[in-house]
Amino acid sequence: MGGNLYDKYNARNPVAAYLMRGFLQSFDQLTAKVPVGAAVEVGCGEGELIRRLALRGWQTTGFDVSPDVIAIAKERAARAGATTTFFSADIHEVAVPPADLLLCCEVLEHVEQPGDALDKLSKAAPFALFSVPREPVWRVLNMLRGAYWSDWGNTPGHIQHWSATGFLDFLSSRYTVMEVRRPLPWTMALCRSRA
């Protein structure tokens, strides 16, 4: 499955909208620390993040496993006046286009072999921005809103689970973590590749 279970970037629920503002503010702050150049987004979903960079002057490419969600990303980029190349591909089967900055946000929790994916990604760009849901906060918040009770708050498709410390330790195996943000309920890290 590709894309989001719902359009979280345009959420009407005031709590969800507040949380997404924190996520996007952290994203904007961290990406501003990298000189503008070429960016590639792995698992771009509907293209919200890579579109933000395109509108800030970056040369941008995004890909996702779902052709349907890529069609949505193309339409939204065109509507926003953002020039971005989009294509459909699986992270394990594609040669990631080289770039100055790699984005991998809300993806690794869906990947069966995240270490293999991280090895591959570390060779694609000198800088990378990663984010994942912060556990157990993520599940607790899901349960508080009455979601996914039978799975103890686990969002469908999430097969990897990291605390903030655990995720930073995981990234540190291939990257130097430069700066971290913890917008509730995520962990987000700007990294420099050691590959």
Side-chain angles (χ1 to χ4, degrees):
M1 178 174 66
N4 296 308
L5 295 176
Y6 72 99
D7 188 1
K8 64 184 178 184
Y9 294 107
N10 296 299
R12 293 177 191 231
N13 175 291
V15 175
Y18 171 79
L19 295 176
M20 285 313 307
R21 280 194 301 274
F23 178 92
L24 293 172
Q25 181 181 38
S26 293
F27 174 84
D28 290 341
Q29 290 169 348
L30 290 177
T31 55
K33 295 179 180 290
V34 180
V36 173
V40 61
E41 184 175 10
V42 176
C44 67
E46 295 83 358
E48 176 69 28
L49 299 179
I50 199 71
R51 188 170 64 247
R52 289 175 83 84
L53 291 185
L55 293 172
R56 286 170 35 198
W58 288 74
Q59 178 186 352
T60 53
T61 302
F63 69 91
D64 197 280
V65 70
S66 168
D68 293 337
V69 82
I70 287 297
I72 294 168
K74 287 179 179 179
E75 184 222 319
R76 290 184 179 183
R79 198 168 52 230
T83 303
T84 299
T85 302
F86 289 106
F87 63 95
S88 177
D90 185 293
I91 188 174
H92 295 295
E93 298 169 5
V94 68
V96 178
D100 302 300
L101 174 65
L102 177 130
L103 304 178
C104 187
C105 296
E106 308 309 289
V107 173
L108 291 174
E109 66 270 21
H110 300 277
V111 176
E112 286 188 29
Q113 300 294 329
D116 292 347
L118 201 64
D119 280 337
K120 183 175 190 172
L121 298 177
S122 69
K123 298 173 179 74
F127 296 98
L129 182 75
F130 294 96
S131 72
V132 294
R134 186 167 67 244
E135 298 290 0
V137 175
W138 182 267
R139 287 188 187 207
V140 169
L141 290 177
N142 273 338
M143 293 185 77
L144 286 174
R145 68 185 183 96
Y148 316 126
W149 273 81
S150 63
D151 291 320
W152 294 97
N154 188 50
T155 302
H158 287 196
I159 57 176
Q160 306 296 333
H161 306 93
W162 286 283
S163 65
T165 301
F167 186 59
L168 297 175
D169 287 347
F170 170 69
L171 293 176
S172 294
S173 66
R174 283 89 169 175
Y175 286 90
T176 299
V177 176
M178 298 168 57
E179 196 161 336
V180 178
R181 295 280 192 280
R182 291 177 177 84
L184 189 67
W186 294 277
T187 303
M188 186 181 290
L190 178 64
C191 304
R192 183 186 293 272
S193 175
R194 294 201 304 265

